[in-house]
Amino acid sequence: MRRLSIALTTALSAGTLLLASAGTAAAYPPDPPGESTARQQLAELTVSAEGSMSGYDRDRFPHWSSQSGNCDTREAVLRRDGSGVSVGSDCYPDSGSWYSVYDQRWVSDPSEVHIDHVVPLAESWRSGTASWSDAKREDFANDLDTQQLIAVSGTSNMTKSDDDPAAWQPSNTGYHCVYARSWINVKHVWELSVDSAEQNALSNMLDNC
């Protein structure tokens, strides 16, 4: 059974929530580095103005890719991030519920759950992925090794759109520390740039840690 602490509805400072998904325990999602490492990573990111959206298309980021068994990346995240999830032979959930840390909501219909790219694909295009191959962009769009993918409510994901933290932050202020650490780590791992307003917003969010 997934262990949910009060931090889900307040700080959620520990990202080590455990869940039982199809009988196995998994992280929800991988823990981002701590505050001090996040500040160091933020200082190491290249600061530059956002690039052009010229040539951008979501199809340049193939997703969702096949994962283990019959699962694709979306289904893998639904299994990983949900509570009491059971799936059919096609790997699509038959039952379960999902806690959206962005807006502190439970969602019980998997069709209403969105798999958010923490660093949105369009934002990544403006900060470095425009020069990548489609194959590398596919790896980025299906990255299960960092904090790049998380199951959230469709409402919160649509509100976020492709904004960076200077323009959008989760309504759940208690999640700001984890969100900033996650965003910074994804950009650091994938060597993406930040603009100055984004850098300042992330630094301020880390003050909530």
Side-chain angles (χ1 to χ4, degrees), residues 66-72 76 79 91:
S66 295
Q67 300 294 333
S68 60
N70 294 327
C71 298
D72 62 21
R79 294 180 67 180
C91 200

Side-chain angles (χ1 to χ4, degrees), residues 63-189:
H63 62 288
W64 303 107
S65 300
S66 295
Q67 300 294 333
S68 60
N70 294 327
C71 298
D72 62 21
T73 305
R74 170 179 164 76
E75 292 159 346
V77 176
L78 287 173
R79 294 180 67 180
R80 184 195 69 186
D81 291 3
S83 177
V85 177
S86 64
V87 301
S89 58
D90 60 355
C91 200
Y92 193 77
D94 295 322
S95 63
S97 55
W98 293 263
Y99 184 78
S100 173
V101 291
Y102 287 176
D103 52 357
Q104 300 173 282
R105 290 183 52 207
W106 280 98
V107 182
S108 58
D109 183 346
S111 68
E112 296 178 1
V113 178
H114 285 199
I115 308 305
D116 180 46
H117 290 95
V118 170
V119 175
L121 303 182
E123 160 64 23
S124 78
W125 184 269
R126 297 188 294 264
S127 55
T129 64
S131 64
W132 294 359
S133 68
D134 285 358
K136 186 174 181 179
R137 283 190 285 263
E138 179 176 7
D139 290 341
F140 177 76
N142 295 275
D143 178 15
L144 292 170
D145 295 326
T146 69
Q147 301 72 39
Q148 171 66 340
L149 299 173
I150 186 172
V152 298
S153 69
T155 302
S156 65
N157 192 40
M158 292 176 69
T159 300
K160 174 183 176 179
S161 186
D162 65 350
D163 289 337
D164 69 28
W168 184 92
Q169 297 174 14
S171 61
N172 178 12
T173 58
Y175 190 66
H176 284 186
C177 171
V178 177
Y179 186 76
R181 289 158 47 206
S182 297
W183 181 286
I184 292 166
N185 190 54
V186 171
K187 284 215 161 179
H188 191 267
V189 168

